[in-house]
Amino acid sequence: MSQTGMDPDIFDQFIDQLERYVRERLIPAEKDVIANDKIPDDIVEEMKEMGLFGLTVPEEYGGAGLNTSQYAKVVNTMAYAAPAYRSIFSINVGMFNSAIKNGATDAQKAEWWPRIAEGAIACFGLTEPGSGSDSAAMQTTAKPDPDGNGWILNGTKRYITNAPHADVALIMARTEKDALPKNAHVSAFIVPMDTPGMSTGSPDKKMGQEGSHISDIMLDDVHVPGDALLGGETGQGFRFAMMSLDNGRISVGAAATGYARRALDSAVRYANERKAFGEPIANFQLIQQMLAESDMEIYAAEAMMRDVTERADRGENVIRKAAAFKVFASEMCGRVVDRVVQVYGGAGYLAEYDAERFFRDARIYRIYEGTTQILYLQIAKHMLREWAAENG
């Protein structure tokens, strides 16, 4: 991603416009999104016209050229509305585009960046029925095509966000039979979803996040040309995937922080409107404690977001800090929505009120792009590796 980004004054104007769009257009449409489990087509087209699908694509390829700080701010702003709105473009501007930036050949950038900027929807095929963070267990294979210079892909990917309506997938596949050091047995392939042999399962029924769709991707003798191999080199796929996950984790952290703010604002409004013992419950000190704790934690996550994204824009290695931000923000969001249900009291358990939906929607943030537990291990691993390097 560009480290300079969009001109700050122009970006501030864009954020002001986006905040109005979120409040005046997206939030009023939430009931429709939830009832139909689908973002209305006209809203998707509006989001494409606003450039949301190409936020991080360089300007010379038709995108907005946002840096990491600006991209996270957009995600944070969008996440104030229902999570589906962020989900539809988040893989484009996060993991897929990051992998293209870090790993693609010039020809692949020239082919795919303009398409992404115009609104082609991407998905990211890493997780499988038997493997997620464990790349050694990956079963999807890519074998050289005996009839040409291409590849034949076979396997199944699971829990793939946007798969049911994606135009292109970045598929991680095993190009060597045995697990090699540093995951060099895994390569990445850019595969259009309309390639013969590519199919998706029915969208999975989920706990929350209506309007955001995930499904399996099945690859049955999928023939791709040689130039589908990301970077034109085998053995680099997992490295590109992990590099792009930093970006995905920043996106999830930014989203969790924005959604926590939405939930807290809802609780403050409810506490002022709901009366008990002849006065608003906002006057009760234990209600105030829950509101104050939530505000403090959101502020801490916002500060982490600013720090990690500024470091990324300076070119620092942020693998530890991106993981730390994602863990803190997602766990924080879980605590905030739990308090919000409590502030609502009995009404918080009813689907008629927003608090119940906030609670269900927030749960996934602690799971995808690396569970809290996996990221604890990753943070500790890097801490210990750095200590060993300094004290070895």
Side-chain angles (χ1 to χ4, degrees):
M1 293 189 188
S2 167
Q3 293 183 8
T4 53
M6 184 185 287
D7 175 87
D9 291 336
I10 297 174
F11 180 71
D12 288 344
Q13 293 171 17
F14 175 70
I15 288 294
D16 288 343
Q17 175 194 1
L18 191 63
E19 286 177 345
R20 287 194 300 275
Y21 183 70
V22 166
R23 284 160 176 75
E24 296 170 11
R25 180 73 168 120
L26 298 188
I27 289 177
E30 285 179 344
K31 283 187 170 59
D32 186 18
V33 171
I34 293 163
N36 297 307
D37 191 24
K38 183 179 186 294
I39 304 173
D41 292 339
D42 56 344
I43 288 183
V44 175
E45 288 306 312
E46 289 166 7
M47 290 168 62
K48 290 180 179 180
E49 288 169 14
M50 291 173 70
L52 293 176
F53 286 76
L55 290 171
T56 53
V57 172
E59 289 182 75
E60 59 266 34
Y61 291 92
L66 299 192
N67 61 27
T68 306
S69 299
Q70 293 170 338
Y71 148 66
K73 177 64 176 173
V74 171
V75 169
N76 182 258
T77 302
M78 285 291 291
Y80 194 85
Y85 297 122
R86 177 202 76 101
S87 184
I88 193 73
F89 72 89
S90 65
I91 306 300
N92 276 38
V93 299
M95 294 190 296
F96 186 87
N97 188 51
S98 181
I100 295 292
K101 172 184 177 286
N102 292 322
T105 63
D106 289 343
Q108 288 168 339
K109 291 174 181 177
E111 180 179 1
W112 286 104
W113 265 341
R115 294 197 205 181
I116 292 297
E118 288 170 6
I121 297 173
C123 62
F124 192 84
L126 175 62
T127 302
E128 297 186 357
S131 72
S133 302
D134 176 16
S135 75
M138 185 176 291
Q139 296 296 309
T140 298
T141 60
K143 296 181 178 177
D145 187 340
D147 298 326
N149 72 335
W151 299 84
I152 303 173
L153 278 61
N154 282 282
T156 300
K157 298 295 180 178
R158 178 149 292 174
Y159 308 138
I160 307 303
T161 298
N162 289 341
H165 39 248
D167 300 298
V168 60
L170 190 69
I171 299 291
M172 308 300 146
R174 177 185 288 269
T175 44
E176 299 289 343
K177 183 177 180 182
D178 298 319
L180 298 175
K182 297 184 179 177
N183 299 293
H185 59 293
V186 180
S187 303
F189 296 85
I190 305 171
V191 186
M193 292 295 288
D194 61 1
T195 305
M198 290 281 280
S199 61
T200 59
S202 300
D204 294 305
K205 297 187 185 309
K206 313 186 304 301
M207 180 186 292
Q209 303 226 354
E210 290 90 353
S212 167
H213 299 140
I214 63 173
S215 74
D216 287 2
I217 296 178
M218 285 74 76
L219 301 101
D220 184 14
D221 284 341
V222 175
H223 289 246
V224 297
D227 60 10
L229 177 62
L230 186 68
E233 186 181 349
T234 60
Q236 299 297 312
F238 196 78
R239 184 168 68 89
F240 295 143
M242 291 302 100
M243 290 169 71
S244 61
L245 280 177
D246 284 350
N247 227 276
R249 286 161 185 164
I250 289 172
S251 177
V252 173
T257 304
Y259 206 50
R261 179 63 70 188
R262 167 76 181 281
L264 179 57
D265 286 351
S266 170
V268 171
R269 182 175 62 251
Y270 185 82
N272 278 286
E273 293 171 353
R274 173 78 165 91
K275 288 186 169 55
F277 307 105
E279 59 180 317
I281 64 171
N283 292 351
F284 302 154
Q285 289 180 332
L286 293 180
I287 295 290
Q288 292 175 4
Q289 180 186 11
M290 288 190 284
L291 299 178
E293 284 180 341
S294 298
D295 191 52
M296 288 159 47
E297 291 198 77
I298 294 170
Y299 174 50
E302 290 170 343
M304 289 179 79
M305 183 176 82
R306 281 191 297 272
D307 180 71
V308 71
T309 56
E310 287 172 3
R311 288 175 182 273
D313 286 333
R314 290 197 297 267
E316 293 184 25
N317 182 337
V318 296
I319 188 166
R320 245 177 78 187
K321 288 180 170 56
F325 169 51
K326 191 269 181 182
V327 168
F328 181 83
S330 60
E331 295 287 342
M332 172 277 293
C333 187
R335 291 189 292 271
V336 168
V337 296
D338 186 68
R339 293 187 198 111
V340 169
V341 170
Q342 200 70 8
V343 169
Y344 271 73
Y349 202 68
L350 302 182
E352 171 186 351
Y353 293 87
D354 286 341
E356 181 266 352
R357 168 168 64 98
F358 296 152
F359 188 85
R360 288 186 293 105
D361 285 345
R363 189 61 183 84
I364 189 64
Y365 291 135
R366 293 154 62 189
I367 296 172
Y368 59 19
E369 318 311 356
T371 65
T372 292
Q373 287 68 34
I374 281 288
L375 294 184
Y376 277 146
L377 297 179
Q378 187 180 75
I379 291 165
K381 179 181 75 175
H382 285 279
M383 288 172 65
L384 296 171
R385 186 178 291 168
E386 288 174 21
W387 184 90
E390 291 170 3
N391 295 273

